[in-house]
Amino acid sequence: MIYDLAIIGGGPAGAAAAVYAARKRLKTVFITESFGGQSVVSTDIQNWIGTVSISGDKLAKDLEAHTRAYAEDIVDIKTGERAENITKTASGFSVKTGRASYEAKTVLIATGSTRRKLQVPGAEEFENKGITYCASCDGPLFADQDVVVIGGGNAAFETAAQLLAYCKSVTLLNRGPEFRADPVTVQKILLNPKMRAIRNAIPVKVSGEKFVTGITYKDAEKTEDAETEIKTTGIFVEIGLIPTTDFAKDIVKRDEFNHIVVDPRTQKTSQEGIWAAGDCTDGKYHQNNIAAGDAVKALEDIYLAIHAK
């Protein structure tokens, strides 16, 4: 069977695309390991539009329920499957997973990305107990508290700027002597009296009991093993994202960070017939709402492409 569309990924982008594909009556195969995306680990998401507060687990269940409610005989849902590669065929594309291969005229890649994790003692133990990888999801939970941001790029400084709106203080730990964020951004955020940044700060361990109570770092420029502990209840890690795009590396163009390059007007990739949406792309901002919107935009364009042929 040749589907009109293959959607790869089950986060907000993939689910939004599946709902729109069903409503537009595009025969679709929906391939995902699971529903939910990165936010599934968040305990309280407060920026999913239309919902004041929702856990990541509940969001994942809602995305699945919405997708299945419209799927009927239009969208074939294949869960527990991970795309391994995409190849061009005479009729369109073949998406290979560990279980099967699916033929489709068009493809939408919505596989998101994974956060690069902090690799120090205590980091895994206190994940979601003070350590978080999503300021937009979890930041308001730390209102009026002293928090730490780990990282030195634009994402780290943007996270710090967001936290400064409601946290008592924000301390940023940067491993190197120079920040990777835009100088204008750095200068503006460091002017805030509640903000401080420590350079050459290498995280050593995270401390706590039931929840985080502090983080210890050492100075990269000092030869001795002197360590400093910062008392904090919240640690926001912004040390990079790893886009889930390796399976598509031979068919679409990626940037230096392995994000899929797209036309922001249509979400088209460098390969005719393949679109991409959400955190796996080189879009400037990565958020659940933006991912869903990008996917809807892509679906509108895919529908026109299919029916204009």
Side-chain angles (χ1 to χ4, degrees):
M1 175 180 182
I2 300 176
Y3 292 93
D4 290 322
L5 170 65
I7 297 172
I8 310 172
V19 170
Y20 269 70
R23 291 174 64 85
K24 289 179 177 295
R25 314 305 285 178
L26 295 178
K27 188 60 180 174
T28 301
V29 59
F30 180 87
I31 304 164
T32 184
E33 287 189 279
S34 60
F35 282 87
Q38 288 182 47
S39 295
V40 72
V41 300
S42 297
T43 57
D44 187 14
I45 300 167
Q46 299 180 357
N47 65 333
W48 181 242
I49 300 303
T51 304
V52 175
S53 175
I54 187 171
S55 70
D57 181 64
K58 180 64 165 57
L59 175 61
K61 290 176 179 176
D62 285 356
L63 292 175
E64 181 171 6
H66 199 169
T67 300
R68 292 190 183 279
Y70 283 94
E72 299 177 340
D73 60 346
I74 300 298
V75 178
D76 289 343
I77 300 173
K78 309 291 184 180
T79 56
E81 297 192 42
R82 183 183 181 91
E84 295 181 351
N85 63 55
I86 304 173
T87 54
K88 190 80 176 72
T89 65
S91 57
F93 303 92
S94 176
V95 180
K96 183 180 182 301
T97 73
R99 295 181 186 173
S101 291
Y102 303 98
E103 306 292 318
K105 298 174 186 176
T106 60
V107 176
L108 172 63
I109 301 172
T111 45
S113 60
T114 57
R115 298 275 181 175
R116 195 179 300 279
K117 297 298 183 75
L118 181 64
Q119 301 291 326
V120 300
E124 184 176 358
E125 177 185 353
F126 290 104
E127 188 168 329
N128 300 316
K129 296 177 182 178
I131 290 186
T132 176
Y133 293 83
C134 183
S136 297
C137 305
D138 302 327
L141 300 174
F142 296 87
D144 299 318
Q145 298 179 43
D146 297 306
V147 301
V148 170
V149 174
I150 299 177
N154 283 321
F157 275 89
E158 288 163 10
T159 289
Q162 181 177 334
L163 295 171
L164 285 167
Y166 36 76
C167 290
K168 183 178 179 182
S169 72
V170 178
T171 300
L172 183 141
L173 302 182
N174 184 55
R175 291 181 68 91
E178 302 295 333
F179 302 117
R180 290 174 287 106
D182 298 331
V184 173
T185 300
V186 173
Q187 183 179 14
K188 182 177 180 180
I189 293 173
L190 290 184
L191 286 174
N192 191 304
K194 297 194 296 181
M195 178 75 194
R196 69 166 175 157
I198 303 174
R199 305 168 193 257
N200 301 304
I202 301 177
V204 173
K205 66 179 179 181
V206 175
S207 305
E209 295 176 1
K210 289 184 178 180
F211 296 93
V212 166
T213 59
I215 183 169
T216 300
Y217 71 91
K218 65 179 181 180
D219 190 327
E221 289 193 327
K222 293 183 178 179
T223 55
E224 66 271 18
D225 293 329
E227 297 179 349
T228 302
E229 182 180 19
I230 299 175
K231 295 296 183 181
T232 182
T233 52
I235 300 171
F236 293 80
V237 183
E238 288 290 354
I239 54 178
L241 292 170
I242 305 172
T244 310
T245 61
D246 279 356
F247 68 94
K249 64 183 179 182
D250 296 326
I251 200 163
V252 296
K253 181 181 178 182
R254 301 187 298 170
D255 66 13
E256 66 269 34
F257 304 109
N258 294 328
H259 293 105
I260 296 173
V261 177
V262 296
D263 177 349
R265 294 180 67 251
T266 61
Q267 301 302 127
K268 285 182 177 179
T269 71
S270 60
Q271 171 65 57
E272 187 70 24
I274 298 182
W275 287 253
D279 289 12
C280 66
T281 74
D282 65 339
K284 185 175 182 181
Y285 301 109
H286 292 153
Q287 297 285 331
N288 284 338
N289 294 296
I290 294 172
D294 283 352
V296 171
K297 187 194 310 178
L299 251 293
E300 297 289 355
D301 205 59
I302 290 168
Y303 182 83
L304 291 176
I306 289 173
H307 289 280
K309 291 181 179 178

